[in-house]
């Protein structure tokens, strides 16, 4: 991809929108999509989330679909698997595989549930910095939980940075020139990765203490308060989806 995720999160057109409406939309849409028996509901959620990502946030389509592709692949595999192994009414036969109606309908519902759920999570992940998500949840979740989550988020990138540095060092020494060398290089990386990451984590902790860290991570945010209009629009939309999810399935 041309840009990394941090660049996308901090440069999209919805960056200055308060995180609370986006979190509210994501949580409610995810739950409704997960429990809906109507295929139309997660499909609508997918369309709305895609519209917000591409046309409102102005995130490139190729980046969005690149991130969505693994979920689509998994959903298609699940659809085919359930069509073959679940149900009794055969729709058609391909070689030795019999595709059944009951499995196809259930797999189709799960397919759209996956699309709806992943698209809403991508909407939040691509338009809202993680630190603002933590800041918005500060009043609703225990402080200890958020502190641990923020530290875990930070140390994931410490681990990743160490891995990429060591991998690059091995590549410059032709460590991945063939299969045997690749196994040896990978073994050396894994043997030293967690030791170096732990050591760097200790140094980061010392740096935090030297700057006045007392066990409480302070979070600052310049994002304005959420607009009542945005909250009402989201609640009305989610209520519409909830009513629609209670209707009989289309298929």
């Amino acid at each position: 991809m041309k840009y990394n995720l941090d660049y996308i999160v901090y440069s999209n057109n919805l960056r200055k929108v308060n995180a609370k409406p986006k979190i509210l939309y994501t949580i409610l849409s995810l739950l409704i999509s997960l429990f809906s028996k109507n295929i139309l509901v997660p499909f609508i959620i997918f369309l709305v989330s895609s519209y917000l990502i591409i046309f409102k946030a102005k995130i490139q389509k190729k980046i969005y679909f690149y991130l969505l592709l693994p979920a689509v692949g998994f959903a298609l595999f699940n659809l085919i698997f359930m069509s073959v192994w679940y149900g009794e009414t055969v729709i058609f036969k391909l070689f030795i595989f019999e595709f059944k109606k009951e499995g196809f309908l259930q797999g189709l519902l799960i397919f759209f549930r996956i699309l709806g759920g992943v698209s809403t999570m991508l909407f939040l992940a691509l338009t809202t910095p993680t630190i603002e998500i933590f800041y918005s949840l500060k009043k609703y979740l225990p402080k200890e939980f958020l502190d641990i989550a923020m530290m875990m988020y930070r140390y994931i990138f410490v681990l990743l940075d160490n891995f990429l540095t060591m991998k690059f060092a091995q590549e410059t020494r032709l460590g991945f020139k063939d299969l045997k060398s690749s196994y040896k290089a990978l073994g050396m990386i894994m043997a030293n990765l967690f030791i170096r990451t732990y050591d760097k984590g200790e140094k980061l902790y010392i740096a935090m203490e030297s700057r006045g860290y007392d066990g409480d991570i302070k979070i600052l945010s310049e994002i304005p308060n959420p607009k009542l209009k945005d909250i009402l629009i989201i609640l009305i939309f989610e209520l519409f989806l909830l009513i629609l999810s209670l209707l009989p399935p289309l298929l």
Side-chain angles (χ1 to χ4, degrees):
M1 290 186 296
K2 184 178 179 181
Y3 304 114
N4 60 39
L5 290 181
D6 282 336
Y7 178 87
I8 297 170
V9 169
Y10 283 96
S11 63
N12 71 87
N13 282 14
L14 295 179
R15 162 71 178 83
K16 295 297 183 181
V17 177
N18 188 280
K20 289 182 180 179
K22 292 184 279 188
I23 295 172
L24 179 65
Y25 167 78
T26 300
I27 293 176
L28 293 179
S29 298
L30 189 63
L31 291 174
I32 293 175
S33 176
L34 181 63
F35 292 105
S36 174
K37 300 293 184 180
N38 196 322
I39 292 176
L40 187 60
V41 172
F43 181 64
I44 292 175
I45 293 172
F46 167 70
L47 291 179
V48 172
S49 299
S50 299
Y51 171 79
L52 293 173
I53 291 171
I54 296 172
F55 296 103
K56 288 297 184 180
K58 300 295 183 181
I59 295 172
Q60 295 182 24
K61 291 191 290 262
K62 63 180 180 181
I63 294 175
Y64 171 56
F65 290 121
Y66 175 83
L67 295 171
L68 191 64
L69 188 60
V72 174
F74 176 77
L76 284 174
F77 173 79
N78 178 79
L79 175 60
I80 295 172
F81 180 83
M82 293 198 68
S83 298
V84 172
W85 295 103
Y86 177 73
E88 297 180 356
T89 308
V90 178
I91 304 175
F92 67 94
K93 187 175 181 179
L94 182 65
F95 302 113
I96 61 173
F97 299 106
E98 294 181 341
F99 291 81
K100 304 174 182 68
K101 179 181 178 181
E102 296 84 356
F104 174 77
L105 294 178
Q106 188 65 27
L108 195 63
L109 176 60
I110 295 175
F111 176 87
F112 284 110
R113 280 179 177 175
I114 292 172
L115 284 187
V118 172
S119 62
T120 55
M121 293 301 296
L122 285 176
F123 165 74
L124 183 64
L126 294 175
T127 61
T128 313
T130 306
I131 194 67
E132 290 180 11
I133 297 176
F134 290 139
Y135 179 82
S136 300
L137 297 175
K138 193 173 183 180
K139 295 181 180 178
Y140 309 103
L141 294 176
K143 181 182 72 68
E144 293 77 11
F145 176 83
L146 290 179
D147 287 348
I148 292 173
M150 283 188 285
M151 296 295 286
M152 287 175 61
Y153 179 77
R154 175 69 184 103
Y155 282 109
I156 285 172
F157 288 97
V158 174
L159 183 68
L160 180 62
D161 180 64
N162 275 289
F163 171 76
L164 293 177
T165 301
M166 296 171 69
K167 182 175 180 291
F168 178 74
Q170 287 289 348
E171 287 175 343
T172 59
R173 295 171 175 80
L174 300 179
F176 295 92
K177 64 179 180 179
D178 52 41
L179 185 61
K180 182 179 179 180
S181 299
S182 298
Y183 281 129
K184 183 178 179 181
L186 187 61
M188 293 175 65
I189 290 174
M190 299 309 295
N192 294 281
L193 178 60
F194 289 98
I195 297 174
R196 292 188 57 178
T197 303
Y198 179 80
D199 181 62
K200 193 168 184 179
E202 286 291 312
K203 292 178 181 178
L204 284 173
Y205 181 76
I206 293 172
M208 290 172 63
E209 281 196 320
S210 67
R211 288 165 175 80
Y213 174 68
D214 59 355
D216 184 19
I217 300 177
K218 307 296 183 182
I219 305 175
L220 301 177
S221 177
E222 298 179 354
I223 302 299
N225 292 328
K227 297 179 180 179
L228 181 60
K229 181 186 72 172
D230 295 338
I231 301 293
L232 289 176
I233 290 174
I234 292 171
L235 291 177
I236 292 172
F237 174 70
E238 299 297 340
L239 180 61
F240 165 74
L241 291 178
L242 183 60
I243 294 173
L244 194 59
S245 68
L246 298 176
L247 297 178
L250 295 177
L251 298 175

Coordinates of all heavy atoms in Angstrom, one line a residue, residues 95-172:
F95 N -19.1 -32.1 -10.1 CA -18.2 -33.3 -9.9 C -18.8 -34.1 -8.8 O -19.9 -34.6 -8.9 CB -16.8 -32.8 -9.6 CG -16.2 -31.9 -10.7 CD1 -15.9 -30.6 -10.4 CD2 -16.0 -32.4 -11.9 CE1 -15.4 -29.8 -11.4 CE2 -15.4 -31.7 -12.9 CZ -15.2 -30.3 -12.7
I96 N -18.1 -34.3 -7.6 CA -18.5 -35.1 -6.6 C -19.2 -34.3 -5.5 O -19.7 -34.9 -4.5 CB -17.4 -36.0 -6.0 CG1 -16.3 -35.0 -5.4 CG2 -16.8 -36.9 -7.0 CD1 -15.2 -35.8 -4.6
F97 N -19.3 -33.0 -5.6 CA -19.8 -32.1 -4.6 C -21.3 -31.8 -4.9 O -21.6 -31.4 -6.0 CB -19.0 -30.8 -4.5 CG -17.5 -31.1 -4.1 CD1 -16.6 -30.9 -5.1 CD2 -17.2 -31.4 -2.9 CE1 -15.2 -31.1 -4.8 CE2 -15.8 -31.7 -2.5 CZ -14.9 -31.5 -3.5
E98 N -22.1 -31.9 -3.8 CA -23.5 -31.6 -3.9 C -23.8 -30.3 -3.1 O -23.5 -30.3 -1.9 CB -24.4 -32.7 -3.4 CG -24.3 -34.0 -4.3 CD -25.2 -35.1 -3.7 OE1 -25.6 -35.0 -2.5 OE2 -25.5 -36.0 -4.5
F99 N -24.3 -29.3 -3.8 CA -24.6 -28.0 -3.1 C -26.0 -28.0 -2.6 O -26.9 -28.2 -3.5 CB -24.3 -26.8 -4.0 CG -22.8 -26.7 -4.3 CD1 -22.2 -27.4 -5.3 CD2 -22.1 -25.7 -3.6 CE1 -20.8 -27.3 -5.5 CE2 -20.7 -25.6 -3.9 CZ -20.1 -26.3 -4.8
K100 N -26.2 -27.8 -1.4 CA -27.5 -27.9 -0.8 C -28.1 -26.6 -0.4 O -27.4 -25.6 0.0 CB -27.5 -28.8 0.5 CG -26.9 -30.2 0.2 CD -26.7 -31.0 1.4 CE -26.0 -32.3 1.1 NZ -24.6 -32.2 0.6
K101 N -29.4 -26.5 -0.5 CA -30.1 -25.2 -0.3 C -30.0 -24.7 1.1 O -29.7 -23.5 1.3 CB -31.6 -25.4 -0.6 CG -32.5 -24.1 -0.5 CD -33.9 -24.4 -0.8 CE -34.7 -23.1 -0.5 NZ -36.2 -23.4 -0.8
E102 N -30.2 -25.5 2.1 CA -30.2 -25.1 3.5 C -28.8 -24.5 3.9 O -28.6 -23.5 4.5 CB -30.5 -26.2 4.4 CG -31.9 -26.7 4.3 CD -32.1 -27.8 3.2 OE1 -31.1 -28.0 2.5 OE2 -33.2 -28.3 3.1
G103 N -27.7 -25.2 3.4 CA -26.4 -24.8 3.7 C -26.0 -23.5 3.0 O -25.3 -22.6 3.5
F104 N -26.5 -23.4 1.7 CA -26.3 -22.2 0.9 C -26.9 -21.0 1.6 O -26.2 -19.9 1.7 CB -26.8 -22.4 -0.5 CG -26.7 -21.1 -1.3 CD1 -25.5 -20.7 -1.9 CD2 -27.8 -20.3 -1.5 CE1 -25.4 -19.6 -2.6 CE2 -27.7 -19.2 -2.3 CZ -26.5 -18.8 -2.8
L105 N -28.1 -21.1 2.1 CA -28.8 -19.9 2.7 C -28.1 -19.5 4.0 O -28.0 -18.3 4.3 CB -30.3 -20.3 2.9 CG -31.1 -20.5 1.7 CD1 -32.6 -20.8 2.1 CD2 -31.1 -19.2 0.8
Q106 N -27.8 -20.5 4.8 CA -27.1 -20.2 6.1 C -25.7 -19.6 5.8 O -25.3 -18.7 6.5 CB -26.9 -21.5 6.9 CG -26.4 -21.3 8.3 CD -27.3 -20.5 9.2 OE1 -28.5 -20.5 9.0 NE2 -26.8 -19.8 10.1
G107 N -25.0 -20.2 4.8 CA -23.7 -19.6 4.4 C -23.8 -18.2 3.9 O -22.9 -17.4 4.1
L108 N -24.8 -17.9 3.1 CA -25.0 -16.6 2.6 C -25.3 -15.6 3.7 O -24.8 -14.5 3.6 CB -26.2 -16.6 1.6 CG -26.4 -15.4 0.7 CD1 -25.2 -15.3 -0.3 CD2 -27.6 -15.5 -0.2
L109 N -26.0 -16.0 4.7 CA -26.3 -15.1 5.8 C -25.0 -14.8 6.6 O -24.7 -13.6 6.9 CB -27.3 -15.8 6.8 CG -27.6 -15.0 8.1 CD1 -28.2 -13.6 7.8 CD2 -28.5 -15.8 9.0
I110 N -24.2 -15.8 6.8 CA -22.9 -15.6 7.5 C -22.0 -14.8 6.6 O -21.2 -14.0 7.1 CB -22.3 -17.0 7.8 CG1 -23.1 -17.8 8.8 CG2 -20.8 -16.8 8.4 CD1 -22.7 -19.2 9.1
F111 N -22.0 -15.0 5.3 CA -21.2 -14.2 4.4 C -21.5 -12.7 4.5 O -20.5 -11.9 4.7 CB -21.5 -14.6 2.9 CG -20.8 -13.8 1.9 CD1 -19.5 -14.2 1.4 CD2 -21.4 -12.7 1.3 CE1 -18.9 -13.5 0.5 CE2 -20.8 -12.0 0.3 CZ -19.5 -12.4 -0.1
F112 N -22.7 -12.3 4.6 CA -23.1 -10.9 4.7 C -22.8 -10.4 6.1 O -22.5 -9.2 6.3 CB -24.5 -10.7 4.3 CG -24.7 -10.7 2.8 CD1 -25.3 -11.7 2.1 CD2 -24.1 -9.6 2.0 CE1 -25.5 -11.7 0.8 CE2 -24.3 -9.6 0.6 CZ -25.0 -10.6 0.0
R113 N -23.0 -11.3 7.1 CA -22.6 -10.9 8.5 C -21.2 -10.6 8.6 O -20.8 -9.6 9.2 CB -23.0 -12.0 9.4 CG -24.4 -12.2 9.8 CD -24.6 -13.4 10.8 NE -26.0 -13.5 11.2 CZ -26.4 -14.5 12.0 NH1 -25.5 -15.5 12.4 NH2 -27.7 -14.6 12.4
I114 N -20.3 -11.4 8.0 CA -18.9 -11.1 8.0 C -18.6 -9.8 7.3 O -17.8 -8.9 7.8 CB -18.1 -12.2 7.3 CG1 -18.2 -13.5 8.2 CG2 -16.6 -11.9 7.1 CD1 -17.6 -14.7 7.5
L115 N -19.2 -9.5 6.1 CA -19.0 -8.3 5.4 C -19.4 -7.1 6.2 O -18.7 -6.1 6.3 CB -19.7 -8.3 4.1 CG -19.1 -9.1 2.9 CD1 -19.9 -8.9 1.6 CD2 -17.6 -8.8 2.7
G116 N -20.6 -7.2 6.8 CA -21.1 -6.1 7.6 C -20.3 -5.8 8.8 O -19.9 -4.7 9.1
G117 N -19.9 -6.9 9.6 CA -19.1 -6.7 10.8 C -17.7 -6.1 10.5 O -17.2 -5.2 11.1
V118 N -17.0 -6.7 9.5 CA -15.6 -6.3 9.1 C -15.6 -4.8 8.6 O -14.8 -4.1 8.9 CB -15.0 -7.2 8.1 CG1 -13.7 -6.7 7.6 CG2 -14.8 -8.6 8.8
S119 N -16.6 -4.5 7.8 CA -16.7 -3.1 7.2 C -16.9 -2.1 8.3 O -16.3 -1.0 8.3 CB -17.8 -3.0 6.2 OG -19.1 -3.3 6.7
T120 N -17.7 -2.4 9.3 CA -17.9 -1.5 10.4 C -16.6 -1.3 11.3 O -16.2 -0.2 11.7 CB -19.0 -1.9 11.4 OG1 -18.8 -3.2 11.8 CG2 -20.4 -1.8 10.6
M121 N -15.9 -2.4 11.5 CA -14.7 -2.4 12.3 C -13.6 -1.6 11.5 O -12.8 -0.8 12.0 CB -14.2 -3.8 12.6 CG -15.0 -4.5 13.5 SD -15.2 -3.7 15.1 CE -13.6 -3.8 15.7
L122 N -13.6 -1.8 10.2 CA -12.6 -1.0 9.3 C -12.9 0.5 9.3 O -12.0 1.3 9.3 CB -12.6 -1.6 7.9 CG -11.9 -2.9 7.7 CD1 -12.1 -3.3 6.2 CD2 -10.4 -2.8 8.0
F123 N -14.2 0.8 9.4 CA -14.6 2.2 9.5 C -14.1 2.8 10.7 O -13.5 3.9 10.6 CB -16.2 2.3 9.5 CG -16.7 3.6 9.9 CD1 -16.6 4.7 9.0 CD2 -17.2 3.8 11.2 CE1 -17.0 6.0 9.4 CE2 -17.7 5.1 11.6 CZ -17.6 6.2 10.7
L124 N -14.2 2.2 11.8 CA -13.6 2.7 13.1 C -12.1 2.8 13.0 O -11.5 3.8 13.4 CB -14.1 1.9 14.3 CG -13.7 2.4 15.6 CD1 -14.3 3.8 15.9 CD2 -14.1 1.4 16.7
A125 N -11.5 1.7 12.6 CA -10.0 1.6 12.6 C -9.4 2.6 11.6 O -8.3 3.1 11.9 CB -9.6 0.2 12.2
L126 N -10.0 2.9 10.5 CA -9.4 3.8 9.5 C -9.7 5.2 9.7 O -9.1 6.1 9.0 CB -9.9 3.3 8.1 CG -9.4 2.0 7.6 CD1 -10.1 1.6 6.2 CD2 -7.9 1.9 7.5
T127 N -10.7 5.6 10.5 CA -11.1 7.0 10.7 C -10.8 7.5 12.1 O -10.9 8.7 12.3 CB -12.6 7.1 10.4 OG1 -13.4 6.4 11.3 CG2 -12.9 6.7 9.0
T128 N -10.4 6.7 13.0 CA -10.3 7.1 14.4 C -8.9 6.6 15.0 O -8.7 5.4 15.1 CB -11.4 6.5 15.3 OG1 -12.7 6.8 14.6 CG2 -11.4 7.2 16.6
P129 N -8.1 7.6 15.4 CA -6.8 7.1 16.1 C -7.1 6.3 17.4 O -8.1 6.6 18.1 CB -6.2 8.5 16.4 CG -6.8 9.5 15.5 CD -8.2 9.0 15.2
T130 N -6.3 5.4 17.6 CA -6.5 4.5 18.8 C -6.6 5.3 20.1 O -7.4 5.0 21.0 CB -5.4 3.4 18.8 OG1 -5.4 2.7 17.6 CG2 -5.7 2.4 19.9
I131 N -5.7 6.3 20.2 CA -5.7 7.0 21.5 C -7.0 7.7 21.7 O -7.4 7.9 22.9 CB -4.5 8.0 21.4 CG1 -4.2 8.6 22.8 CG2 -4.8 9.1 20.4 CD1 -3.6 7.6 23.7
E132 N -7.7 8.1 20.7 CA -9.0 8.8 20.9 C -10.1 7.8 21.2 O -11.0 8.1 21.9 CB -9.4 9.6 19.6 CG -8.5 10.8 19.4 CD -8.9 11.5 18.1 OE1 -9.9 11.2 17.5 OE2 -8.1 12.4 17.7
I133 N -10.0 6.6 20.8 CA -10.9 5.5 21.2 C -10.7 5.3 22.7 O -11.7 5.2 23.4 CB -10.6 4.2 20.4 CG1 -10.9 4.4 18.9 CG2 -11.5 3.1 20.9 CD1 -10.6 3.2 18.0
F134 N -9.5 5.2 23.1 CA -9.2 5.0 24.6 C -9.8 6.2 25.4 O -10.4 6.0 26.4 CB -7.7 4.8 24.8 CG -7.2 3.5 24.3 CD1 -6.0 3.5 23.7 CD2 -7.9 2.4 24.5 CE1 -5.5 2.3 23.2 CE2 -7.4 1.1 24.0 CZ -6.2 1.1 23.4
Y135 N -9.6 7.4 24.8 CA -10.0 8.6 25.5 C -11.5 8.6 25.7 O -12.1 9.0 26.7 CB -9.5 9.8 24.8 CG -10.0 11.2 25.4 CD1 -9.3 11.7 26.4 CD2 -11.1 11.8 24.9 CE1 -9.7 12.9 27.0 CE2 -11.5 13.0 25.5 CZ -10.8 13.6 26.5 OH -11.2 14.8 27.1
S136 N -12.2 8.2 24.6 CA -13.7 8.2 24.6 C -14.3 7.2 25.5 O -15.4 7.4 26.1 CB -14.2 8.0 23.2 OG -13.8 9.0 22.3
L137 N -13.5 6.1 25.7 CA -14.0 5.0 26.6 C -13.6 5.2 28.1 O -13.9 4.3 28.9 CB -13.5 3.7 26.1 CG -14.0 3.3 24.7 CD1 -13.4 2.0 24.3 CD2 -15.5 3.1 24.7
K138 N -12.8 6.3 28.3 CA -12.3 6.4 29.7 C -13.3 6.5 30.8 O -13.1 6.0 31.9 CB -11.4 7.7 29.7 CG -10.5 7.8 30.9 CD -9.6 9.0 30.8 CE -8.6 9.1 31.9 NZ -7.7 10.2 31.8
K139 N -14.5 7.1 30.5 CA -15.5 7.2 31.5 C -16.4 6.0 31.7 O -17.1 5.9 32.6 CB -16.4 8.4 31.1 CG -15.8 9.7 31.1 CD -16.7 10.8 30.7 CE -16.1 12.2 30.7 NZ -17.0 13.3 30.3
Y140 N -16.2 5.0 30.7 CA -17.1 3.9 30.7 C -16.4 2.6 31.1 O -17.1 1.6 31.4 CB -17.8 3.7 29.4 CG -18.4 5.0 28.9 CD1 -17.8 5.8 27.9 CD2 -19.6 5.4 29.4 CE1 -18.3 6.9 27.4 CE2 -20.2 6.6 28.9 CZ -19.6 7.4 28.0 OH -20.1 8.5 27.5
L141 N -15.1 2.5 31.1 CA -14.3 1.3 31.4 C -13.4 1.6 32.5 O -12.9 2.7 32.7 CB -13.6 0.8 30.1 CG -14.5 0.4 29.0 CD1 -13.6 0.0 27.8 CD2 -15.3 -0.8 29.3
P142 N -13.0 0.5 33.3 CA -12.0 0.7 34.3 C -10.7 1.3 33.8 O -10.2 0.9 32.7 CB -11.8 -0.7 34.9 CG -13.1 -1.4 34.5 CD -13.5 -0.8 33.2
K143 N -10.1 2.2 34.6 CA -8.8 2.8 34.2 C -7.7 1.8 34.0 O -6.9 1.9 33.1 CB -8.4 3.8 35.3 CG -7.1 4.5 35.0 CD -6.7 5.4 36.1 CE -6.2 4.6 37.3 NZ -4.9 4.0 37.0
E144 N -7.7 0.7 34.8 CA -6.7 -0.3 34.7 C -6.8 -1.0 33.4 O -5.8 -1.4 32.8 CB -6.8 -1.3 35.9 CG -6.5 -0.7 37.3 CD -7.6 0.1 37.8 OE1 -8.7 0.1 37.2 OE2 -7.4 0.8 38.9
F145 N -8.0 -1.3 33.0 CA -8.2 -2.0 31.7 C -7.7 -1.2 30.5 O -7.0 -1.7 29.6 CB -9.7 -2.3 31.5 CG -10.1 -2.9 30.2 CD1 -10.0 -4.2 30.0 CD2 -10.5 -2.1 29.1 CE1 -10.3 -4.8 28.8 CE2 -10.8 -2.6 27.9 CZ -10.7 -4.0 27.7
L146 N -8.0 0.1 30.5 CA -7.5 1.0 29.4 C -6.0 1.2 29.5 O -5.4 1.2 28.4 CB -8.2 2.4 29.5 CG -9.7 2.4 29.2 CD1 -10.3 3.8 29.4 CD2 -10.0 1.9 27.8
D147 N -5.4 1.3 30.7 CA -4.0 1.4 30.8 C -3.3 0.2 30.2 O -2.3 0.3 29.4 CB -3.6 1.6 32.2 CG -3.9 3.0 32.7 OD1 -4.3 3.8 31.9 OD2 -3.8 3.2 34.0
I148 N -3.8 -1.0 30.5 CA -3.2 -2.3 30.0 C -3.4 -2.3 28.5 O -2.5 -2.7 27.7 CB -3.9 -3.5 30.7 CG1 -3.5 -3.5 32.1 CG2 -3.5 -4.8 30.0 CD1 -4.2 -4.6 32.9
A149 N -4.6 -1.9 28.0 CA -4.9 -1.9 26.6 C -3.9 -1.0 25.8 O -3.4 -1.3 24.7 CB -6.3 -1.6 26.3
M150 N -3.7 0.2 26.3 CA -2.8 1.1 25.7 C -1.3 0.7 25.7 O -0.6 0.8 24.7 CB -2.9 2.5 26.4 CG -4.1 3.3 26.0 SD -4.1 5.0 26.6 CE -4.5 4.7 28.4
M151 N -0.9 0.1 26.8 CA 0.4 -0.5 26.8 C 0.6 -1.7 25.9 O 1.6 -1.8 25.2 CB 0.8 -0.9 28.3 CG 0.8 0.2 29.3 SD 2.1 1.4 29.0 CE 3.5 0.4 29.5
M152 N -0.4 -2.5 25.8 CA -0.4 -3.6 24.9 C -0.3 -3.1 23.4 O 0.5 -3.6 22.6 CB -1.6 -4.5 25.0 CG -1.6 -5.4 26.3 SD -3.2 -6.3 26.5 CE -3.2 -7.3 25.0
Y153 N -1.1 -2.1 23.1 CA -1.1 -1.5 21.8 C 0.3 -1.0 21.4 O 0.8 -1.1 20.3 CB -2.1 -0.4 21.7 CG -2.2 0.3 20.4 CD1 -2.8 -0.3 19.3 CD2 -1.7 1.5 20.2 CE1 -2.9 0.3 18.0 CE2 -1.7 2.2 19.0 CZ -2.3 1.6 17.9 OH -2.4 2.2 16.7
R154 N 0.9 -0.3 22.4 CA 2.2 0.3 22.2 C 3.3 -0.8 22.0 O 4.1 -0.7 21.1 CB 2.6 1.2 23.4 CG 4.0 1.8 23.3 CD 4.2 2.8 22.2 NE 5.6 3.2 22.0 CZ 6.4 2.8 21.1 NH1 6.0 1.9 20.2 NH2 7.6 3.3 21.0
Y155 N 3.2 -1.8 22.8 CA 4.3 -2.8 22.7 C 4.1 -3.8 21.5 O 5.1 -4.4 21.1 CB 4.3 -3.6 24.0 CG 5.0 -2.9 25.1 CD1 4.3 -2.4 26.2 CD2 6.4 -2.6 25.1 CE1 5.0 -1.6 27.2 CE2 7.0 -1.9 26.1 CZ 6.3 -1.4 27.1 OH 7.0 -0.7 28.1
I156 N 3.0 -3.8 20.9 CA 2.8 -4.6 19.7 C 3.7 -3.9 18.6 O 4.4 -4.6 17.8 CB 1.3 -4.6 19.2 CG1 0.5 -5.5 20.1 CG2 1.2 -5.0 17.8 CD1 -1.0 -5.5 19.8
F157 N 3.7 -2.6 18.6 CA 4.6 -1.9 17.6 C 6.0 -2.0 17.9 O 6.9 -2.0 17.0 CB 4.1 -0.5 17.4 CG 2.8 -0.3 16.7 CD1 1.6 -0.2 17.5 CD2 2.7 -0.4 15.4 CE1 0.4 -0.1 16.8 CE2 1.5 -0.2 14.7 CZ 0.3 -0.1 15.4
V158 N 6.4 -2.1 19.2 CA 7.8 -2.3 19.6 C 8.2 -3.7 19.1 O 9.3 -3.8 18.5 CB 7.9 -2.2 21.1 CG1 9.3 -2.6 21.5 CG2 7.6 -0.8 21.6
L159 N 7.4 -4.7 19.3 CA 7.7 -6.0 18.8 C 7.8 -6.1 17.3 O 8.7 -6.7 16.7 CB 6.6 -7.0 19.2 CG 6.7 -8.5 18.9 CD1 7.9 -9.1 19.7 CD2 5.4 -9.3 19.2
L160 N 6.9 -5.4 16.6 CA 6.9 -5.4 15.1 C 8.1 -4.7 14.6 O 8.8 -5.1 13.7 CB 5.6 -4.7 14.6 CG 5.5 -4.6 13.1 CD1 5.5 -6.0 12.5 CD2 4.3 -3.8 12.7
D161 N 8.5 -3.5 15.3 CA 9.7 -2.8 14.8 C 11.0 -3.6 15.0 O 11.8 -3.6 14.1 CB 9.8 -1.5 15.7 CG 11.0 -0.7 15.3 OD1 11.0 -0.2 14.1 OD2 11.9 -0.5 16.1
N162 N 11.1 -4.3 16.1 CA 12.2 -5.2 16.3 C 12.3 -6.3 15.3 O 13.4 -6.6 14.8 CB 12.2 -5.8 17.7 CG 12.8 -4.9 18.7 OD1 14.0 -4.7 18.8 ND2 12.0 -4.3 19.6
F163 N 11.1 -6.9 15.0 CA 11.1 -8.0 14.0 C 11.5 -7.5 12.6 O 12.4 -8.1 11.9 CB 9.7 -8.6 13.9 CG 9.5 -9.5 12.8 CD1 10.0 -10.8 12.9 CD2 8.8 -9.2 11.6 CE1 9.9 -11.7 11.8 CE2 8.7 -10.1 10.6 CZ 9.2 -11.3 10.7
L164 N 11.0 -6.3 12.2 CA 11.4 -5.8 10.9 C 12.8 -5.4 10.8 O 13.5 -5.6 9.7 CB 10.5 -4.6 10.5 CG 9.0 -4.9 10.3 CD1 8.2 -3.6 10.1 CD2 8.8 -5.8 9.2
T165 N 13.4 -4.9 11.9 CA 14.8 -4.5 11.9 C 15.7 -5.8 11.8 O 16.6 -5.8 11.0 CB 15.1 -3.8 13.2 OG1 14.3 -2.6 13.3 CG2 16.6 -3.4 13.2
M166 N 15.3 -6.8 12.5 CA 16.1 -8.1 12.5 C 16.0 -8.8 11.1 O 16.9 -9.3 10.6 CB 15.7 -9.0 13.6 CG 16.0 -8.4 15.0 SD 15.3 -9.3 16.4 CE 16.3 -10.8 16.3
K167 N 14.7 -8.7 10.6 CA 14.5 -9.3 9.3 C 15.3 -8.6 8.2 O 15.9 -9.3 7.3 CB 13.0 -9.3 8.9 CG 12.6 -10.0 7.6 CD 11.1 -10.0 7.4 CE 10.7 -10.6 6.1 NZ 11.1 -9.8 5.0
F168 N 15.3 -7.3 8.2 CA 16.1 -6.6 7.2 C 17.6 -6.9 7.4 O 18.3 -7.0 6.4 CB 15.9 -5.1 7.4 CG 16.7 -4.2 6.5 CD1 16.3 -4.1 5.1 CD2 17.8 -3.5 7.0 CE1 17.1 -3.3 4.3 CE2 18.5 -2.7 6.1 CZ 18.2 -2.6 4.8
A169 N 18.1 -7.0 8.6 CA 19.5 -7.3 8.8 C 19.8 -8.7 8.3 O 20.9 -8.9 7.7 CB 19.8 -7.3 10.3
Q170 N 18.9 -9.7 8.4 CA 19.1 -11.0 7.8 C 19.1 -11.0 6.3 O 19.9 -11.7 5.6 CB 18.1 -12.0 8.4 CG 18.3 -12.4 9.8 CD 19.5 -13.3 10.0 OE1 20.1 -13.8 9.1 NE2 19.9 -13.4 11.3
E171 N 18.2 -10.2 5.7 CA 18.1 -10.1 4.3 C 19.4 -9.5 3.7 O 19.8 -9.9 2.6 CB 16.9 -9.2 3.9 CG 15.6 -10.0 4.1 CD 14.4 -9.1 3.8 OE1 14.6 -7.8 3.8 OE2 13.3 -9.6 3.7
T172 N 20.0 -8.5 4.3 CA 21.2 -7.9 3.8 C 22.4 -8.9 3.9 O 23.4 -8.7 3.2 CB 21.6 -6.6 4.6 OG1 21.8 -7.0 6.0 CG2 20.5 -5.6 4.5

